[in-house]
């Protein structure tokens, strides 16, 4: 076999592998989409798991924010994509607030030392009730309704 033939074979094989791995299926492979089509099912979506063994519905997945174990006691977690921050001021007590700072509309970036902190101008809000701990903000964060079922925290 000549060096040119080997090179063409490698390039052709790499292109075929690349085309197969880069399907428009939210990062899934083209063959997985083809399998789903053959089986009469839809392709997986970001809100619906691909596994048929998954026990949650798409609606439940859309409402779920976190597991209770994801939220540290005396702290919290910011969910940028949902513009929500969930806190646990005391053991087993969970609160949720808008992650949009009431000063200039920036998204808060972290929860530390008992406050929800905005990176833009330094406003801080208390994790227990969203009230202003330190300005320049003058209004509290908007409280959001959540419900805790078992170890799941969901939008309520």
């Amino acid at each position: 076999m000549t060096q040119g033939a080997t090179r063409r074979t490698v390039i052709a094989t790499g292109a075929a592998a690349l085309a197969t791995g880069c399907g428009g299926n939210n990062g899934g492979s083209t063959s997985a989409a083809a399998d789903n089509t053959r089986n009469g099912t839809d392709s997986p979506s970001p809100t619906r798991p691909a596994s048929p063994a998954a026990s949650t519905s798409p609606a439940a997945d859309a409402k779920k924010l976190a597991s209770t174990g994801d939220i540290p006691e005396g702290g919290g977690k910011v969910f940028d994509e949902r513009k929500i921050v969930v806190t646990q001021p005391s053991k087993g007590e969970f609160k949720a607030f808008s992650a949009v700072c009431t000063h200039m509309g920036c998204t808060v970036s972290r929860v530390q030392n008992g406050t929800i902190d905005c990176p833009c101008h330094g406003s801080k809000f208390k994790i227990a009730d969203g009230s202003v701990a330190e300005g320049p903000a003058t209004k509290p964060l908007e409280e959001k309704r959540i419900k805790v079922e078992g170890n799941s925290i969901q939008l309520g």
Side-chain angles (χ1 to χ4, degrees):
M1 187 177 281
T2 66
Q3 186 177 26
T6 303
R7 187 175 191 190
R8 273 182 252 142
T9 303
V10 170
I11 291 171
T13 304
L18 191 59
T20 300
C22 294
N25 189 25
N26 294 331
S29 72
T30 305
S31 61
D35 287 346
N36 285 339
T37 303
R38 274 194 303 263
N39 293 333
T41 61
D42 292 334
S43 298
S45 73
T47 58
R48 188 175 59 234
S51 169
S55 61
T56 58
S57 70
D61 286 345
K63 287 185 177 186
K64 183 175 179 178
L65 288 171
S67 295
T68 55
D70 295 338
I71 311 301
E73 185 179 341
K77 184 173 179 180
V78 177
F79 297 90
D80 290 325
E81 69 284 349
R82 303 263 185 104
K83 301 281 191 231
I84 292 177
V85 59
V86 178
T87 65
Q88 185 178 187
S90 60
K91 186 174 183 165
E93 176 189 17
F94 297 91
K95 302 277 186 161
F97 306 96
S98 168
V100 178
C101 180
T102 58
H103 175 240
M104 295 291 288
C106 293
T107 302
V108 298
S109 62
R110 64 181 177 210
V111 181
Q112 68 177 7
N113 302 321
T115 61
I116 302 163
D117 302 342
C118 180
C120 294
H121 301 104
S123 293
K124 296 180 183 222
F125 304 88
K126 296 178 184 175
I127 65 170
D129 60 7
S131 64
V132 177
E134 185 176 315
T138 58
K139 297 178 183 175
L141 294 174
E142 177 188 349
E143 188 164 359
K144 297 291 187 175
R145 294 176 55 129
I146 57 171
K147 59 184 173 183
V148 179
E149 294 179 350
N151 69 348
S152 177
I153 301 172
Q154 299 178 355
L155 288 173

